[in-house]
Amino acid sequence: MDKVMSNKKIIALYVLPSLLLIMAIIYIPIVLTGYYGLMKWDGVSSMSFIGMENYSSLMKDSAFWNSVYHSLLFAVLSTVSLAVYMIVALILAGNIKGAGLLRKIYLIPMLLSSVAIAQLWLKIYHPTNGILNTFLVSLGVEDPPAWLSDPKLVLYALFIPILWQYAGFYILIYYAALKNIPASLIEAARIDGANPWQIALRIKLPLVSEVVKVTIVLAVVGSLKYFDLIYVMTDGGPNGASEVMASYMYQKAFRGFDFGYGSAIGFFLLIICMVATWAIRKATASKDTIQYS
């Protein structure tokens, strides 16, 4: 008994530094963010307690709810884009001709910073000298759109570089999962007469379903936190048409010097991410998982 207790103390001693680090960089900042949301504070002078006033103002802030809508739209588009990443991963895992070259190319965006990608796509979207509009003019389009200045197009124009930036990350995850499928299962299906389409739908996708569930959570939560690329390319414009929750929080806290209100937005963003994660896990859980959870 004494030996067991001694082992537990040793284990606790080894785990303690990690727990303290997690507390310092995750849990304590979360608590402080919620606490600052109860304050009126400009970041310099002393704080004054105002209770739930920031949160109640948040509920009436139309600009904030527009940013919530934009973030949720990105989350939906990111989830749909996972199907594209899966198709590419299936092609790469199929050992078709040219797959080796594709495996070297699709990781390139992962090597670039968000700022570099934003600057690249700013050049592509330039209304007069950009590659995209130059190409459209060559096809006979007399008045090509101003992609980042049109409120109706800007969100979708922003999503294209986001789709391109994170393609390598998700394709790599799917590719690794597909390569872990035993070759004997695929060979048995071929012997039974299954074609490649049936193998992909009936064998490969069900076997990587748990990985797909994880990537859905990553895509949704990551979309709700988009900031850097949007900040560099549009800064939330035009007239808030591309404002998302993270950028609106930055605007209020670091430009409006209302750190209490910015903290309230950040805490609300945390709640939305937690609710989204819980909802996705419940929606994608198997019957056995629900029974024992």
Side-chain angles (χ1 to χ4, degrees):
M1 188 67 177
D2 293 338
K3 186 176 181 180
V4 172
M5 291 299 296
S6 177
N7 288 338
K8 288 183 177 180
K9 289 179 181 179
I10 294 173
I11 292 171
L13 186 62
Y14 278 111
V15 172
L16 183 61
S18 298
L19 290 177
L20 293 176
L21 184 62
I22 292 172
M23 289 287 292
I25 66 176
I26 297 178
Y27 294 112
I28 292 176
I30 288 174
V31 173
L32 288 176
T33 300
Y35 171 72
Y36 292 147
L38 302 173
M39 302 291 174
K40 184 174 180 59
W41 185 38
D42 61 5
V44 179
S45 59
S46 59
M47 294 183 287
S48 57
F49 181 78
I50 58 174
M52 299 296 292
E53 186 176 323
N54 283 327
Y55 294 97
S56 61
S57 298
L58 204 61
M59 298 299 104
K60 304 171 186 176
D61 189 346
S62 59
F64 168 71
W65 287 111
N66 283 334
S67 70
V68 173
Y69 168 74
H70 298 156
S71 294
L72 292 177
L73 178 61
F74 277 133
V76 172
L77 292 174
S78 296
T79 304
V80 173
S81 69
L82 293 178
V84 178
Y85 301 143
M86 177 60 77
I87 291 172
V88 175
L90 285 168
I91 293 172
L92 294 175
N95 295 322
I96 65 168
K97 186 177 180 180
L101 178 61
L102 286 173
R103 282 195 290 268
K104 295 177 177 66
I105 292 175
Y106 76 84
L107 288 175
I108 291 177
M110 293 180 62
L111 306 178
L112 303 176
S113 69
S114 296
V115 175
I117 291 173
Q119 291 296 331
L120 171 65
W121 282 88
L122 279 172
K123 298 294 187 294
I124 293 174
Y125 283 138
H126 194 280
T128 55
N129 301 322
I131 297 173
L132 181 56
N133 279 0
T134 301
F135 175 71
L136 292 176
V137 169
S138 69
L139 294 179
V141 179
E142 296 181 358
D143 188 20
W147 300 96
L148 300 178
S149 301
D150 189 337
K152 296 180 180 179
L153 294 176
V154 63
L155 285 175
Y156 303 100
L158 285 172
F159 183 71
I160 298 301
I162 291 172
L163 179 74
W164 182 72
Q165 179 183 12
Y166 290 99
F169 174 73
Y170 291 106
I171 292 172
L172 182 63
I173 292 175
Y174 289 150
Y175 177 79
L178 291 168
K179 279 298 185 180
N180 272 336
I181 298 175
S184 57
L185 292 178
I186 309 299
E187 188 61 30
R190 287 179 182 147
I191 293 173
D192 288 338
N195 58 46
W197 179 256
Q198 290 172 325
I199 292 173
L201 289 181
R202 303 290 180 85
I203 297 176
K204 292 183 177 181
L205 288 182
L207 290 174
V208 299
S209 60
E210 293 301 318
V211 175
V212 173
K213 294 175 186 178
V214 172
T215 56
I216 291 174
V217 174
L218 292 175
V220 171
V221 174
S223 300
L224 295 174
K225 299 188 297 180
Y226 281 150
F227 170 74
D228 44 5
L229 188 142
I230 295 171
Y231 173 75
V232 174
M233 291 188 70
T234 64
D235 196 16
N239 295 324
S242 62
E243 199 83 82
V244 293
M245 283 187 284
S247 64
Y248 190 62
M249 176 180 65
Y250 175 84
Q251 295 278 1
K252 287 295 183 180
F254 294 97
R255 290 183 176 174
F257 295 101
D258 192 347
F259 286 89
Y261 197 75
S263 297
I265 296 172
F267 197 72
F268 192 85
L269 174 58
L270 170 66
I271 293 173
I272 291 179
C273 290
M274 292 175 64
V275 170
T277 302
W278 175 83
I280 292 169
R281 291 187 63 182
K282 283 294 182 182
T284 58
S286 64
K287 294 181 180 179
D288 293 336
T289 304
I290 295 174
Q291 182 179 354
Y292 292 104
S293 61

